[in-house]
Amino acid sequence: MNNLSKNYINGQWVDWSGDTIDVHEGTNGEVIAKVPSSDRAAMEQAIDAADAAFDSWSETPLEKRIDVIKQLHAGLKERAPEIAKVVAREVGMPIKLAGMIQAGMPIKVTETYLDMLPDYPFTEQSGNSEVQYAPVGVVGCITPWNYPLHQVILKVVPALAAGCTIVLKPSEVSPQSAFILAEILDGTDLPKGVFNMVCGLGQEVGDTLIKHPKVRMVSFTGSTRTGHLIAHAAADDFKRIALEMGGKSASIILPDADLEASVKGSFMNCLQNSGQTCTALTRLLVHKDQHDQACEIAGAIANGVKLGDPLDENTRLGPLASADQRDKVRGYIKLGIEEGATLVAGGAEAPEGLENGYFVKPTVFGNVDPNSRIAQEEIFGPVLCVIPYETEEEAIRIANGTAYGLSGAVFSGDQDKAKKVAGKMRTGQVFVNGGAFNPLAPFGGFGHSGIGREFGKWGLEEFLEVRSLQL
Ligand code: NAD
């Protein structure tokens, strides 16, 4: 990567000589890169470039747009090892998993669009009308740090396919994979101005992007707090928004489920990426008679996980992405103790021998009050809340009893019963008896978890306006 000190605007790497932002390695807190803390003028330049490129790109035949996405796909494959490594160092995901998820999912998602696009009906007949699906315009993409390239690809690929032009504002915490993406796109046949990337702080360049009149849509993934600001800003000139935000997802283990396997499946999901996953199953709902046994199983897992440098093949759990996030999560662990939950494993102090980096002990709380703050607020770290319930109805009520609704899980010995309970969960996806993640299924949230859907045709349609020709 030669361009970390630059922005990518109008098909060129543009030098930035102002302030920079330090990018840290979670294992030791060292600075591993410096990227532009760009100003509003740089963002405006990028928006103007995207606006100027829109008419031509929106009329470019689909086959040509698909060709560019094919070139992007090849580039992502070629640079996958590098992507896995930079994200592992920035975010803390163990390298093998980072290869499969942080580098692998962007490739997989791009493939699903390459499969789907040739047959996607960009026009259809309805009575005497031809219904046309037209690109929404200039799109501002704003992304978080936890799955940095994956979140970007979920926006950039369908937006390009739709015929939109793009200004990306990647996370300032883990920006390097976005630079790799920009380098890949720079080597494709994409016309200048169609994709632009400006690096910087949310309150500066992000703010310019969400308020600029030439930007007709903001596609955002990140915290509910920032999503709220974006929804307000978008209301002023009726921008379209797609918001993928936080979660506090519940796993309901029904009494007839295999307890050991269900607790393990749920907790491993919660620990993925050190708990820095929007869909993490952070609330484990178990029948009160099975509560202590479930805590024992989860506690043993927490105590047995090997923490360490994500680049070490033996590491199962890496650090968090930043000192701020580490301190926030440790603060929640202290809060859980103050709130009276039972600390089964883990705790707020640094893991032994890992005092320098952004590590947090995998932590299990038992007997958690479903209305307490640790059960209601997104912690975004390796912290599990075990909550006892008495009846199935109560379990569903607790599961639905937060402002969020992003993901969930149900485990039961009876698949039909599990499906029935899943159908009552107010959430965008539910894993039934450990069903596999499917990149063709729509993904998004109810309530404070989001507006809109990503993946597959649902993800593409976010970037399309509908026009009827009455014939
Ligand atoms: P964040 O909201 O702090 O930041 C996300 C992005 O928004 C960053 O690029 C940031 O610079 C930008 N931003 C911040 N303030 C802004 C402002 N005033 N105007 C415009 N842009 C601004 O989120 P984060 O801490 O990077 O990510 C963690 C959050 O993301 C968690 O809540 C997690 O659940 C959520 N997330 C959701 C999904 C999903 O698909 N639902 C996926 C991943 C992460």
Side-chain angles (χ1 to χ4, degrees), residues 234-249:
D236 279 344
D237 73 343
F238 301 101
K239 279 189 203 342
R240 184 183 288 204
I241 47 174
L243 305 176
E244 296 283 349
M245 304 184 288
K248 192 75 192 175
S249 301

Side-chain angles (χ1 to χ4, degrees), residues 54 58-60 62 65 119-126 129-137 158 161-164 240 457 460-469:
F54 177 72
S58 63
E59 286 172 15
T60 299
L62 179 63
R65 303 206 296 257
D119 300 321
Y120 185 80
F122 280 92
T123 58
E124 59 184 332
Q125 274 312 117
S126 180
S129 303
E130 180 179 299
V131 180
Q132 302 180 337
Y133 297 95
V136 74
C164 295
R240 184 183 288 204
K457 77 181 176 89
L460 176 66
E461 285 165 4
E462 293 292 335
F463 297 101
L464 296 171
E465 286 283 12
V466 185
R467 175 170 53 222
S468 298
L469 303 190

Side-chain angles (χ1 to χ4, degrees), residues 138-143 151-152 154-156 158-159 167-169 209-210 215-222 230 240-244 453-454 459 462-463:
V138 175
V139 178
C141 299
I142 301 183
T143 51
Q151 305 302 342
V152 168
L154 278 170
K155 301 178 187 319
V156 166
V167 179
L168 167 66
K169 206 297 281 171
L209 188 57
I210 66 177
V215 175
R216 294 318 310 147
M217 173 174 175
V218 176
S219 177
F220 168 76
T221 303
I230 290 171
R240 184 183 288 204
I241 47 174
L243 305 176
E244 296 283 349
R453 292 292 178 267
E454 290 192 317
E462 293 292 335
F463 297 101

Side-chain angles (χ1 to χ4, degrees), residues 142-145 169 172 221-223 226 244-246 278 378 443:
I142 301 183
T143 51
W145 44 262
K169 206 297 281 171
E172 63 275 26
T221 303
S223 66
T226 308
E244 296 283 349
M245 304 184 288
C278 51
E378 187 182 50
F443 176 96

Side-chain angles (χ1 to χ4, degrees), residues 201-276:
L201 297 175
Q203 61 268 30
E204 179 100 14
V205 286
D207 184 74
T208 305
L209 188 57
I210 66 177
K211 292 180 179 161
H212 201 290
K214 286 181 181 168
V215 175
R216 294 318 310 147
M217 173 174 175
V218 176
S219 177
F220 168 76
T221 303
S223 66
T224 298
R225 178 185 46 79
T226 308
H228 196 246
L229 292 175
I230 290 171
H232 270 270
D236 279 344
D237 73 343
F238 301 101
K239 279 189 203 342
R240 184 183 288 204
I241 47 174
L243 305 176
E244 296 283 349
M245 304 184 288
K248 192 75 192 175
S249 301
S251 174
I252 299 178
I253 302 184
L254 295 175
D256 64 351
D258 175 338
L259 189 66
E260 175 109 30
S262 329
V263 172
K264 190 167 179 214
S266 298
F267 193 25
M268 292 320 283
N269 169 292
C270 168
L271 291 181
Q272 182 173 299
N273 205 21
S274 306
Q276 307 169 107

